[in-house]
Structure formats: C-alpha cells, structure tokens
Amino acid sequence: MSELHKFLFEGLPVRGMIVRLTESWQEVLARRASNSDTGAYPRPLAELLGEITAAATLMQANIKFNGSLILQIFGDGPVKVAVAEVKPDLSLRSTAKAIGEIAADAKLSDMVNAHGKGRCAITLDPKDKLPGQQPYQGVVPLVDENGRKLERMSDILQHYMLQSEQLDTTLVLAADDKIAAGLLIQRLPVKGEANLEGTADGGREQVQQDQIGHNEDYNRISILASSLTRDELLTLDVDTILRRLFWEEKLLRFEPQTGMLGPHFACTCGRARVENMIRGLGREEAESILAERENIEVGCDFCGKQYHFDAVDAAQIFTAPGNQMPGSAVVQ
Ligand SMILES: [Zn+2]
C-alpha cells in the first residue's frame, strides 16, 4: 500500500519525509497502458512522471494549504507536458503528453529541455477561491545558475525551493514500473530569521550564531540523505532506509499515513467539467464536430474515462442557463 512517513530530527530545525507510491502509481500506469490511443508510457517518461508524482506528494504533504498542489513540466522536446496534482487528502493523479519518439536511453533534457526552453511550474490552487483570486504559481527554467541543463528532477526542485521559497531542501527521487518514491529533507526556517528588524542587536547576533549551528546540522543530514541510491529507495522499506542513513541521529517519527489517509489515486474529472470545456469551444465548433460524427468524445487524460455528447446533449449545453461563461468564445 502507498505510504507517507514524516519525521523530525530531535532538537534540530530539520524535518524529513519519505513517500512510497505503489498501488496508486501502478494505477496511473495501468490506466495509461489501457488507453488505446496512447498506449503505455515509454520507460524514461514513466520514470520521470513517477518522480514528479512522488515529489508532488511530498510537497503537498510539506505545506499547510487547503487546495491542490500541481507540479508541471512544460517541455520543448517530445514531452510537451508532464503533470501531477495532489490534494490535501493526498489523493493524486498524474499524466504526460508526448509527441514523437522517446529513445530508450533518453535523458531528462532530451525529453523536456531539448532547446533549453523547458520550464517547471508549481501551482497552488486554493479550494475555496475568493472572487478574482488567482492560483499562486512559481516557474523556474530547467537549468542551473550557470545555464547548464539539469538532468535530474530532484535538482530542478531543489533549485526551485531555494529560489522561490528560500528553503534549503534535499530530494532523492526514483521510479520504475512498480513504485514511485521520494525522500525529502528540509531545513526549517529559524525563528526570527525572516524578519531580523524586529530583533534587538544582541538578539540578531544570537540568531546568526544559531544559524551557523543549524546550517551545520542541516548540511550533515543533507549529505547523508543524498547518499541514498536509486536502488535503495526503490527496494528498501522505510525503516531500513532511515536506519541506514540516520543511525547516528535522533529521529522523532510520526504515525505513517497509508490507505485513504495516505497517498491514493483519485481523479476529479466529471461530466460538468467536460461540459464547461465544450462550452469554451463555442457552439459553432461543437456543431461542426457533430456534423462529421455522432458524438463529441472527450477522454480524461488522467484516468482515461470517456465522455460522450450527442447533438441533444450539446444543444443543452448551449441553451442551459450559465452558458454565457466568461472567457467563452461565443459571448457576444
Ligand atoms: Zn479523470
């Protein structure tokens, strides 16, 4: 069963998490494999999407936020987009869209950053939006500060966390066709660090002193975490991983989250959403599709569910109240 484990390093401003997505990840792969239009993901893309899905789960579990966390790669190679969405209850779904061949030994940059134009975006979409409220989105390129292409998802996200959140983060990610897994270590912001103005001079000195000590602790733990290999992460259970990496540290572990309290596959698509999408196409476009075929068919990229709309359904979409959606192409 998929599981999420949280832990703290006792007395140190460092926390960690391990996620192991098993049946939830296999569900993502199986649904894709059974889609006759696309077929299964090529292996390098499956591994990338698995790492993205594991990372998104860790990031959602790491924040207190009532809404979806969406981790996306917009690629400029054969992979156009790879996306994972995780909700606060750790329900997750993910998908990728590729056009053209992906070599069996394709690197990350071959797939999504062929011309250096690939991007990684993290979106926080609040569940209960205030009127006019936009989701928060941070975007980083897939290169390091010297412009060199990054080849690991973990490096891209570490870079992101430091750049947009000013958080020191260490990530190890791995995925195959059975499991998508990740280890996250993060340095907690020290009290007063973000706002030194409010501290008296003596206090400021103390904060800086503390800072140096805390960095040493974080750096030591980060180095240990980084020594975890892909194989170990994919094959060892969580107790063994933590014992091997941190046997000299004092860990405070929390109750693991599994089952419906843990990471689990769920798709939130529904007929109403698809209706909105068709409404967005406009009546003319919808009618032109129906002139050529019996149904408008829309498949969900995440779960594969097929939605069918015949001429009567379509007419209803465009006559029902609320058909004058903002942003709709047919608004006069
Ligand atoms: Zn769906």
Side-chain angles (χ1 to χ4, degrees):
M1 207 149 51
S2 299
E3 49 192 325
L4 178 78
H5 298 251
K6 294 185 179 182
F7 49 92
L8 290 170
F9 291 81
E10 212 182 317
L12 307 178
V14 184
R15 64 178 162 192
M17 258 182 244
I18 293 184
V19 70
R20 287 170 52 86
L21 305 175
T22 49
E23 90 294 337
S24 54
W25 172 235
Q26 291 163 24
E27 179 86 35
V28 170
L29 293 179
R31 282 172 184 266
R32 177 66 168 217
S34 68
N35 182 332
S36 54
D37 289 340
T38 61
Y41 291 116
R43 195 186 49 81
L45 179 52
E47 289 178 6
L48 174 63
L49 187 62
E51 293 192 5
I52 289 173
T53 311
T57 309
L58 290 170
M59 293 172 105
Q60 171 63 268
N62 197 32
I63 54 172
K64 284 193 175 63
F65 174 71
N66 187 22
S68 290
L69 182 142
I70 302 151
L71 172 54
Q72 277 165 295
I73 297 278
F74 296 103
D76 69 351
V79 177
K80 302 305 168 194
V81 66
V83 53
E85 178 182 11
V86 186
K87 294 193 182 289
D89 66 356
L90 300 184
S91 63
L92 62 89
R93 55 182 192 165
S94 56
T95 187
K97 187 181 170 69
I99 296 169
E101 285 297 298
I102 295 170
D105 61 349
K107 293 186 305 220
L108 185 144
S109 65
D110 298 333
M111 290 189 281
V112 296
N113 201 23
H115 310 287
K117 300 238 181 322
R119 292 286 180 275
C120 173
I122 294 174
T123 308
L124 298 179
D125 191 13
K127 184 161 172 276
D128 304 308
K129 278 202 256 317
L130 301 167
Q133 189 181 358
Q134 294 297 315
Y136 163 84
Q137 190 177 61
V139 182
V140 288
L142 310 181
V143 293
D144 67 12
E145 55 278 10
N146 301 315
R148 276 192 295 265
K149 290 177 179 178
L150 294 169
E151 295 297 352
R152 290 193 303 190
M153 199 55 214
S154 54
D155 290 337
I156 292 166
L157 292 171
Q158 283 168 194
H159 187 60
Y160 176 90
M161 294 302 283
L162 198 57
Q163 284 240 308
S164 28
E165 315 296 326
Q166 279 85 50
L167 285 172
D168 278 315
T169 310
T170 305
L171 272 164
V172 183
L173 300 166
D176 61 16
D177 59 349
K178 295 283 184 296
I179 174 171
L183 164 68
L184 175 144
I185 298 291
Q186 194 162 65
R187 187 167 73 91
L188 296 168
V190 179
K191 214 174 171 185
E193 179 182 352
N195 183 13
L196 293 176
E197 282 76 31
T199 321
D201 274 0
R204 182 177 308 190
E205 203 169 292
Q206 189 56 48
V207 166
Q208 284 172 351
Q209 290 282 333
D210 289 353
Q211 193 65 43
I212 294 163
H214 289 138
N215 279 334
E216 280 172 5
D217 290 324
Y218 172 75
N219 290 343
R220 180 183 72 251
I221 292 165
S222 168
I223 289 167
L224 292 171
S226 305
S227 73
L228 181 67
T229 66
R230 179 177 187 279
D231 267 6
E232 287 172 326
L233 181 56
L234 290 175
T235 55
L236 298 178
D237 63 73
V238 172
D239 291 353
T240 309
I241 290 175
L242 290 180
R243 209 169 38 239
R244 276 200 195 177
L245 291 178
F246 306 122
W247 61 279
E248 280 189 306
E249 310 288 335
K250 276 208 197 79
L251 286 193
L252 212 65
R253 294 186 55 184
F254 296 87
E255 191 69 28
Q257 290 168 253
T258 60
M260 286 312 280
L261 296 175
H264 56 279
F265 177 85
C267 193
T268 46
C269 69
R271 201 166 166 89
R273 285 186 183 209
V274 182
E275 284 177 5
N276 267 335
M277 203 201 82
I278 294 173
R279 209 169 273 139
L281 282 180
R283 183 192 288 261
E284 218 167 293
E285 178 72 20
E287 281 173 356
S288 85
I289 296 169
L290 286 166
E292 286 166 23
R293 52 177 78 189
E294 216 171 302
N295 285 304
I296 299 174
E297 284 170 30
V298 181
C300 173
D301 290 337
F302 289 96
C303 69
K305 193 170 158 67
Q306 290 289 325
Y307 295 90
H308 306 275
F309 296 85
D310 62 16
V312 177
D313 298 329
Q316 197 139 41
I317 289 173
F318 290 104
T319 53
N323 66 339
Q324 302 275 300
M325 289 284 288
S328 158
V330 291
V331 173
Q332 299 294 314

